[in-house]
Amino acid sequence: MKGTRIGMVSLGCSKNRVDSEEILGELVSRGAVPVNDPAEAEVIIVNTCGFIESAKTDSLDSVFEMAQYKDTGSCRLLVVCGCLSERYYDDLKAELPEADLIWGVKDHAGLAEAIDQRITGEITSPVCAASRMLTTPPYRAYLRIADGCDNRCTYCAIPLIRGGRVSRPMEQLTEEATELAERGVTELTVIAQDTSAYGIDLYGEPRLAELLKELAKIEKLRWIRLLYTYPNTVDEKLIDAINSEPKICNYIDMPIQHIDPDMLSAMNRHGTAEHIREITDYIRSANPDFILRTTAIVGFPGETEEQFDTLMGFFREHPYDRLGAFTYSAEDGTPAAEMDGQLPEAVKQRRYNRLMRRQMRISLEANKKRIGRVYEALVDDIADGIAYCRSYAEAAEVDGFIKAAIPEGVNIACGDYVNALITSADTYDLTAEIILSSASRR
């Protein structure tokens, strides 16, 4: 496989991105050479998402788009892997002749061997140890602490695709995080299908707080960020651990999906509405500057106007800084897809629009409160003399930016940390001035 040019299209969530990075690492260890231009790639891999219907469509569109490079480019082998192919392997095998190799979500070394076999006619030994090839900028990376999920929410196909939760040992995680830090990563984002349940299968209890404290000991890490927590295992111990460690961003992504008790029950969401209210209040009282991010589903089967109004009322009384809302999508094989009370798309969209209009006001109000304050900010992009930065309050790829003009004569690069004085705010983004005396260069 030495010298074989590999192109990767990675779709879906950050957990899928980690899979893509591990696959690329396995291929590079066998001598493959990654390329960004699909027209140059001899092997094109499409790592698909199968979470909701729109993601399935996007995945298939990407496969068809990449298949064209068999005629117009250098592609000799088109590989389809990931969640969509794990779930619909037999269907894709029968109905997707464009794909030369279909693979699921596990055994990345096996996939690399299968590609090697197809390209060279044999399986060659790795020329070096496999190591994740980061597809993020070199100063930030994701750390996946577990795979799969035990929650079995009635609307979710993840357990059907990835199985039950399997946590990784803490020692293995700290070793990987240390290695990433040595490679130049300063911002580490902790992910899993359910991060706050980390360790229950290994240690008999959630151990996320302990893991975060161990990660904070890694000297070269500057920020540690937490995504994808599940409300019933977010408790005061976890919040206190976040607040007590300067390297851990005061930011938590805690998808609640709904607040009406009957809706939570129908969704098979563990925990209670009372706990969601109590932990939200605790976070706000423990640290008023803590950033709360969540997601909500509107139009779930049987959702009444009164239940939707309960959700609206919750966000009025307990405003979250960030909210991603979704209209319910019926997924094959999930209990919710067979429930009575499926709602018209027009009703779902109307409720979605109402919720997001409310959230736009909440977001704008929260952003305006930050005017006049100085934040340490990580430069993520530079264009036309403008630095696009993020503070602890903005997660990569899902939140907005802090935009700041780079002062004349000042040398600032992506990956640098600067101090930014917020001067104005809109719904999602902020504008700032870079404080020259505090600009720092790694």
Side-chain angles (χ1 to χ4, degrees), residues 15-252:
K15 282 90 68 179
N16 218 37
R17 180 193 283 263
V18 172
D19 279 338
S20 296
E21 294 176 344
E22 291 176 351
I23 292 167
L24 286 171
E26 289 286 349
L27 291 166
V28 169
S29 76
R30 288 165 166 78
V33 178
V35 295
N36 291 324
D37 185 351
E40 298 178 359
E42 297 169 271
V43 178
I44 298 178
I45 304 167
V46 181
N47 191 6
T48 60
C49 177
F51 183 51
I52 57 176
E53 195 62 37
S54 59
K56 299 174 192 175
T57 300
D58 289 344
S59 292
L60 290 174
D61 287 346
S62 293
V63 172
F64 296 139
E65 180 183 356
M66 292 301 110
Q68 298 176 20
Y69 290 103
K70 291 183 176 182
D71 298 322
T72 63
S74 303
C75 183
R76 298 161 53 196
L77 187 72
L78 179 60
V79 181
V80 179
C81 63
C83 291
L84 188 69
S85 52
E86 177 76 23
R87 193 170 180 204
Y88 298 105
Y89 179 87
D90 291 337
D91 291 340
L92 296 182
K93 192 79 173 173
E95 301 175 14
L96 198 64
E98 293 84 355
D100 301 300
L101 178 61
I102 298 176
W103 203 265
V105 297
K106 302 184 187 299
D107 190 12
H108 300 149
L111 174 57
E113 291 179 356
I115 292 172
D116 197 5
Q117 179 79 48
R118 296 292 187 95
I119 290 294
T120 68
E122 59 184 9
I123 297 175
T124 55
S125 299
V127 297
C128 62
S131 179
R132 270 174 67 190
M133 180 189 157
L134 296 183
T135 58
T136 52
Y139 50 85
R140 65 177 176 87
Y142 295 100
L143 181 69
R144 183 169 59 190
I145 63 175
D147 197 15
C149 187
D150 287 344
N151 292 320
R152 303 284 172 174
C153 301
T154 57
Y155 53 82
C156 183
I158 292 298
L160 302 176
I161 298 169
R162 293 189 174 265
R165 180 181 57 253
V166 179
S167 299
R168 298 174 60 196
M170 198 173 300
E171 298 77 13
Q172 187 183 105
L173 293 169
T174 55
E175 181 180 344
E176 180 179 357
T178 300
E179 191 263 341
L180 289 169
E182 291 296 327
R183 289 165 60 181
V185 169
T186 61
E187 180 188 23
L188 191 71
T189 301
V190 176
I191 59 170
Q193 269 72 34
D194 177 1
T195 53
S196 51
Y198 167 76
I200 292 176
D201 51 314
L202 285 180
Y203 309 112
E205 62 180 359
R207 296 287 295 276
L208 180 59
E210 289 81 359
L211 173 63
L212 291 175
K213 290 180 179 180
E214 290 300 311
L215 295 175
K217 295 177 183 177
I218 300 173
E219 183 177 353
K220 293 184 178 180
L221 290 180
R222 191 155 177 169
W223 287 354
I224 300 167
R225 191 182 298 279
L226 185 59
L227 299 182
Y228 308 121
T229 66
Y230 196 102
N232 73 310
T233 42
V234 175
D235 56 15
E236 295 181 6
K237 176 185 174 182
L238 176 60
I239 300 305
D240 290 346
I242 295 172
N243 279 325
S244 67
E245 294 288 350
K247 287 186 179 182
I248 305 175
C249 295
N250 295 148
Y251 179 113
I252 194 168

Side-chain angles (χ1 to χ4, degrees), residues 163-352:
R165 180 181 57 253
V166 179
S167 299
R168 298 174 60 196
M170 198 173 300
E171 298 77 13
Q172 187 183 105
L173 293 169
T174 55
E175 181 180 344
E176 180 179 357
T178 300
E179 191 263 341
L180 289 169
E182 291 296 327
R183 289 165 60 181
V185 169
T186 61
E187 180 188 23
L188 191 71
T189 301
V190 176
I191 59 170
Q193 269 72 34
D194 177 1
T195 53
S196 51
Y198 167 76
I200 292 176
D201 51 314
L202 285 180
Y203 309 112
E205 62 180 359
R207 296 287 295 276
L208 180 59
E210 289 81 359
L211 173 63
L212 291 175
K213 290 180 179 180
E214 290 300 311
L215 295 175
K217 295 177 183 177
I218 300 173
E219 183 177 353
K220 293 184 178 180
L221 290 180
R222 191 155 177 169
W223 287 354
I224 300 167
R225 191 182 298 279
L226 185 59
L227 299 182
Y228 308 121
T229 66
Y230 196 102
N232 73 310
T233 42
V234 175
D235 56 15
E236 295 181 6
K237 176 185 174 182
L238 176 60
I239 300 305
D240 290 346
I242 295 172
N243 279 325
S244 67
E245 294 288 350
K247 287 186 179 182
I248 305 175
C249 295
N250 295 148
Y251 179 113
I252 194 168
D253 169 51
M254 185 177 70
I256 67 167
Q257 309 306 8
H258 217 285
I259 197 64
D260 179 82
D262 290 337
M263 280 289 98
L264 291 174
S265 177
M267 292 178 177
N268 195 36
R269 297 287 290 178
H270 307 300
T272 65
E274 288 74 18
H275 175 73
I276 293 173
R277 290 187 170 90
E278 288 169 2
I279 196 61
T280 301
D281 288 339
Y282 182 79
I283 293 170
R284 290 297 189 209
S285 62
N287 183 349
D289 292 328
F290 209 105
I291 298 297
L292 277 163
R293 178 179 179 83
T294 194
T295 58
I297 297 173
V298 299
F300 189 80
E303 183 189 52
T304 65
E305 285 293 335
E306 292 76 15
Q307 289 168 327
F308 174 71
D309 287 341
T310 298
L311 182 65
M312 290 283 286
F314 170 79
F315 286 121
R316 181 178 62 251
E317 298 162 3
H318 299 81
Y320 277 52
D321 304 274
R322 316 270 190 255
L323 167 65
F326 300 88
T327 57
Y328 168 73
S329 171
E331 298 304 315
D332 296 339
T334 60
E338 305 300 322
M339 288 181 178
D340 294 333
Q342 303 286 331
L343 298 179
E345 290 299 323
V347 172
K348 299 178 192 178
Q349 193 62 46
R350 176 173 55 79
R351 292 177 184 176
Y352 170 86

Side-chain angles (χ1 to χ4, degrees), residues 320-323 356-368 370 394 399-401 403 424-431:
Y320 277 52
D321 304 274
R322 316 270 190 255
L323 167 65
M356 294 312 297
R357 283 196 298 268
R358 165 72 57 77
Q359 182 60 29
M360 288 176 68
R361 294 194 294 271
I362 291 172
S363 179
L364 179 59
E365 183 179 342
N367 279 348
K368 285 182 175 179
R370 298 172 65 187
E394 290 86 29
D399 294 329
F401 282 105
K403 298 177 288 187
S424 65
D426 62 25
T427 303
Y428 299 113
D429 297 324
L430 299 156
T431 302

Side-chain angles (χ1 to χ4, degrees), residues 377-381 387-391 394 400-404 418:
L378 172 60
V379 180
D380 246 351
D381 193 15
Y388 292 82
C389 313
R390 293 180 294 107
S391 71
E394 290 86 29
F401 282 105
I402 299 172
K403 298 177 288 187
V418 300

